[in-house]
Amino acid sequence: MSDEVRPAGSAGATASDRDRSWTVLELLRWTTDYFKRAGIESARLDAELLLAHALETERLRLYVDFEKPVLPAERDRYRALVRRRAQDRVPVSILLGEREFWSLAFKVSPDVLTPRPDTETLVEAALSKVKGPGKGDPSVVDSDRKWRVLDLGTGSGAIALSLASELPEVDITATDLSQAALQIAAENADRLPQGERVRFLHGDLFEPVANERFDLVVSNPPYVARKDAKSLPPELAHEPEMALFGGEDGLDVIRRLVAEAGRHLSPGGWLLIELAPDQAGTVEQWLAGAGFVDVERRFDLARRARVVAGRWPGA
Ligand SMILES: C[S@@+](CC[C@H](N)C(=O)[O-])C[C@H]1O[C@@H](n2cnc3c(N)ncnc32)[C@H](O)[C@@H]1O
């Protein structure tokens, strides 16, 4: 397809572009090429997700309908999405208002971090602590009572609600400093059957649970270094600063988490923190220095250190 041919209504479309009819496949090919030239890496996938959204159908359905013409009203909806994706670099998740995480559908908006696949490493690590060695091992925590789990900085509620879906016998609390994020988390809780088992609280770090202790504290805190802000993908401008940046070196919130977590962990309880791979060594040292034992790291699918964990002694 020539560069000169544009879907009707797109910038620079000619009268003949507007008049001609476009099939699903033609639109996908055109948009993929357009996104690639705009520097969008997942060009074809993004085109498919946006077209499926505009057509109010499933992405895989497009493959069956490749030769189907797209109606002008559908094309208008699609064009508006394509423009925001390419020109304003709005992430697909925000354009769709939804993102899948741990096989659950989460509502997202510019008020929350879109849950990332890397964070499933943290969920897996947390489950291994509750389901694996630890649960039922009296040397770790008293297993006769319900485990108490805290998700600190819950954002969309992705971690807390995923854990709740896997752990029907566990008490889960989720906190965030952002009221707007908690509003989205509450909406996600309303949409999911396990949502009513999660308690959402507002406040800074451990402040909303000041006098409480947990068997497991998980957190995906803001950990991007402010000094790296200029080199970040433009899509991140559509996510809350409070969810991304952890001060000049990215470690401000993690530093506080490590220092304060001991006062909120049961003897034998675990602290699990998601971080950037190059922060793992530093945070392991901090954990050991703060008195944690069994300090370990977990790797994401790309084999990068993604989670650091430590156990509070004393059981
Ligand atoms: C990286 S996002 C993680 C969101 C979600 N847990 C996830 O994994 O998709 C960090 C979250 O921590 C919250 N946050 C930042 N500073 C905080 C603080 N001092 N106390 C509590 N929450 C904080 C942000 O509002 C944001 O929702």
Side-chain angles (χ1 to χ4, degrees):
M1 187 178 296
S2 142
D3 270 5
E4 298 310 312
V5 179
R6 295 179 171 83
S10 68
T14 64
S16 68
D17 294 340
R18 272 191 294 276
D19 292 343
R20 65 164 290 202
S21 99
W22 288 75
T23 65
V24 165
L25 185 57
E26 283 174 328
L27 278 182
L28 286 177
R29 284 188 175 146
W30 187 90
T31 315
T32 302
D33 187 44
Y34 177 54
F35 280 171
K36 276 187 186 157
R37 280 185 279 125
I40 294 170
E41 277 178 23
S42 50
R44 173 68 185 228
L45 176 63
D46 287 11
E48 290 181 4
L49 288 166
L50 295 179
L51 186 55
H53 188 66
L55 300 180
E56 295 174 0
T57 188
E58 299 295 319
R59 181 167 74 93
L60 293 181
R61 179 80 211 171
L62 300 178
Y63 285 77
V64 180
D65 290 341
F66 267 166
E67 299 310 324
K68 213 169 146 182
V70 177
L71 300 173
E74 295 168 333
R75 232 160 50 201
D76 285 350
R77 277 205 298 275
Y78 180 56
R79 186 187 69 231
L81 294 167
V82 167
R83 191 174 282 161
R84 292 183 70 203
R85 179 74 191 100
Q87 294 175 11
D88 305 334
R89 298 302 286 262
V90 180
V92 169
S93 58
I94 292 179
L95 293 172
L96 268 48
E98 198 168 271
R99 172 52 55 95
E100 188 178 297
F101 178 84
W102 204 258
S103 299
L104 302 169
F106 286 90
K107 175 181 172 166
V108 296
S109 80
D111 288 327
V112 291
L113 186 98
T114 293
R116 308 290 206 268
D118 288 342
T119 301
E120 295 193 342
T121 306
L122 181 61
V123 174
E124 277 165 13
L127 288 175
S128 77
K129 297 302 176 204
V130 183
K131 289 179 167 174
K135 174 103 186 185
D137 175 355
S139 70
V140 179
V141 285
D142 171 9
S143 59
D144 288 341
R145 59 171 173 78
K146 273 191 174 184
W147 267 56
R148 303 191 68 213
V149 175
L150 173 65
D151 170 22
L152 219 150
T154 195
S156 63
I159 298 170
L161 291 164
S162 300
L163 290 175
S165 74
E166 300 284 342
L167 301 168
E169 295 300 322
V170 161
D171 281 335
I172 302 185
T173 301
T175 68
D176 207 290
L177 185 53
S178 160
Q179 283 279 22
L182 283 171
Q183 178 60 39
I184 300 286
E187 287 180 43
N188 280 320
D190 281 346
R191 286 152 53 120
L192 294 166
Q194 68 275 23
E196 62 187 15
R197 293 195 294 108
V198 179
R199 174 176 67 139
F200 291 99
L201 301 173
H202 175 242
D204 179 33
L205 284 200
F206 292 99
E207 178 262 329
V209 290
N211 300 313
E212 299 183 43
R213 287 187 183 264
F214 299 86
D215 304 301
L216 181 66
V217 174
V218 292
S219 184
N220 174 18
Y223 57 75
V224 178
R226 180 68 69 176
K227 60 181 162 55
D228 297 336
K230 284 206 172 71
S231 56
L232 296 174
E235 280 78 2
L236 291 193
H238 298 276
E239 296 188 270
E241 293 220 340
M242 199 202 292
L244 295 172
F245 295 106
E248 202 50 25
D249 64 356
L251 288 163
D252 280 5
V253 178
I254 294 181
R255 206 177 272 114
R256 290 179 56 208
L257 256 176
V258 172
E260 296 175 28
R263 289 196 292 280
H264 301 280
L265 281 165
S266 313
W270 284 92
L271 170 64
L272 279 74
I273 304 172
E274 178 174 330
L275 36 61
D278 64 353
Q279 296 169 338
T282 302
V283 176
E284 283 170 333
Q285 284 178 14
W286 287 352
L287 284 170
F292 283 85
V293 296
D294 299 338
V295 174
E296 60 182 47
R297 55 173 78 180
R298 296 287 179 115
F299 298 86
D300 61 23
L301 290 174
R303 302 294 307 145
R304 294 169 304 203
R306 185 55 66 187
V307 172
V308 165
R311 191 167 66 80
W312 193 240

